[in-house]
Amino acid sequence: MAASITLAPPPGFNLIGASTAHGWYQLAPWTLDRERGTLSRPFELDDKLVSVHIHQEGERLIIAADRDLPAHQASELAGHVRWCLRLDEDLSEFHALCEVDPALRAAVTPSGGRLLRSPTLWEDVVKTILTTNTTWAQTKAMAARLVAALGTAAQGESERRGFPSPQAAAEAGEARFATEIRLGYRNAPVLRIARDIAEGRLDLESLRCSELPPPALHTRLVALPGVGPYSAATLLMLLGRYDELAVDTELRAHVSRKYFSGERVTEKQMRGVYDHWGRWRYLAYWFDPRE
DNA sequence: TTCCAGGGGTAGA
DNA sequence: TCTACCCATGGA
């Protein structure tokens, strides 16, 4: 007997738009079946993995688990999905600001400005580190190796695995990271974060509901090994704080092409382009139509 | 073979 | 605050 949960997303919500507005859906253990309109991944409920498929029927989101769930697990799963799809974020102010620019409004509409995120900050921190100084193809390969090597198999399945827990990563040790998972020099910071969580020195998940202002959160995030200004800004976005721009080669190239005729731009110039967006800077850049 | 990709850490100025 | 350099990995 499989469980099915129905959620009411915000008006105009589009599952595929929200899933594909940035690349996270391409990183294991997420999978997306565009033809069927189904976003899938295993979720951990009471230390057991459950395969979950999410699809949309009109104004309803249907969450299908591969087995029956007691009420508290169904509620927990619904909470995970609400978090990952940001169903509870109020983006109305950003939407109103987008009305002044038809091209921007068109770019935002498919997703509503909602960017997919992971059920845990641990997973988002690791994946953000995997995006640094590498190609997107390698980021996908590294995430896939991590899940294949250390992820727990979903109940009754051998292929589908969840994202590894910090404990599993910590126990794997340097040798497996170096020979099997191969994150390059990212092995060390990922292992250190995993060990700090597993051994109780770091509580990342408490930051998910933190009331700290973005600058204070930024300070906490850059204190993590392997997390610098770019990763901290990306993680702030993943936490629903859009104040900071994640300055990377993509942003630099975009601002240079669109606003400075291809000339080399300084960080100050890049920030100047989006500064008037205030607490919506990240989204304003992210959905700024490319040229 | 060499370069470099959605950076980070460090040293030195 | 800025620059230069190195850091594993793997594709071009």
Side-chain angles (χ1 to χ4, degrees), chain A residues 183-198:
Chain A
L183 309 183
Y185 60 81
R186 304 165 197 82
N187 285 337
V190 168
L191 254 175
R192 204 172 122 197
I193 293 169
R195 286 176 172 151
D196 284 348
I197 296 172

Side-chain angles (χ1 to χ4, degrees), chain A residues 28-45:
Chain A
W30 289 109
T31 57
L32 179 72
D33 185 331
R34 285 180 185 268
E35 285 188 11
R36 297 184 178 182
T38 303
L39 179 68
S40 305
R41 70 167 286 154
F43 285 89
E44 189 173 320
L45 302 171

Side-chain angles (χ1 to χ4, degrees), chain A residues 118-288:
Chain A
S118 309
T120 65
L121 184 55
W122 147 252
E123 182 176 329
D124 274 341
V125 165
V126 172
K127 286 179 171 175
T128 299
I129 291 173
L130 298 190
T131 67
T132 59
N133 194 29
T134 190
T135 59
W136 181 245
Q138 289 212 62
T139 298
K140 288 192 287 186
M142 286 188 272
R145 288 197 296 268
L146 192 53
V147 168
L150 303 179
T152 306
Q155 265 199 332
E157 298 187 46
S158 56
E159 294 302 313
R160 191 178 289 274
R161 292 177 181 275
F163 193 80
S165 66
Q167 289 74 19
E171 287 167 9
E174 282 86 354
R176 285 193 72 191
F177 269 81
T179 60
E180 190 177 353
I181 303 165
R182 301 194 306 282
L183 309 183
Y185 60 81
R186 304 165 197 82
N187 285 337
V190 168
L191 254 175
R192 204 172 122 197
I193 293 169
R195 286 176 172 151
D196 284 348
I197 296 172
E199 294 167 16
R201 291 185 295 274
L202 174 65
D203 179 12
L204 268 187
E205 301 314 317
S206 66
L207 296 182
R208 290 201 294 141
C209 51
S210 169
E211 298 287 328
L212 287 173
L217 271 176
H218 178 102
T219 301
R220 296 282 294 274
L221 292 166
V222 292
L224 297 170
V227 174
Y230 157 80
S231 296
T234 301
L235 287 163
L236 280 172
M237 172 278 283
L238 290 163
L239 287 167
R241 313 293 190 93
Y242 306 105
D243 307 64
E244 292 190 17
L245 282 178
V247 177
D248 61 8
T249 54
E250 287 291 312
L251 172 63
R252 190 176 294 279
H254 167 66
V255 170
S256 169
R257 274 196 304 267
K258 184 162 182 175
Y259 298 101
F260 292 89
S261 307
E263 290 180 12
R264 180 178 168 78
V265 290
T266 66
E267 199 166 316
K268 189 175 178 181
Q269 286 172 313
M270 288 186 271
R271 296 191 187 285
V273 170
Y274 299 101
D275 217 38
H276 65 285
W277 284 88
R279 68 191 186 102
W280 303 108
R281 291 183 189 97
Y282 191 105
L283 292 180
Y285 155 64
W286 193 260
F287 292 101
D288 189 10

Side-chain angles (χ1 to χ4, degrees), chain A residues 19-20 22-28 30-31 34 116 136 140 143:
Chain A
S19 301
T20 57
H22 78 146
W24 251 216
Y25 74 96
Q26 298 176 27
L27 300 182
W30 289 109
T31 57
R34 285 180 185 268
L116 184 69
W136 181 245
K140 288 192 287 186

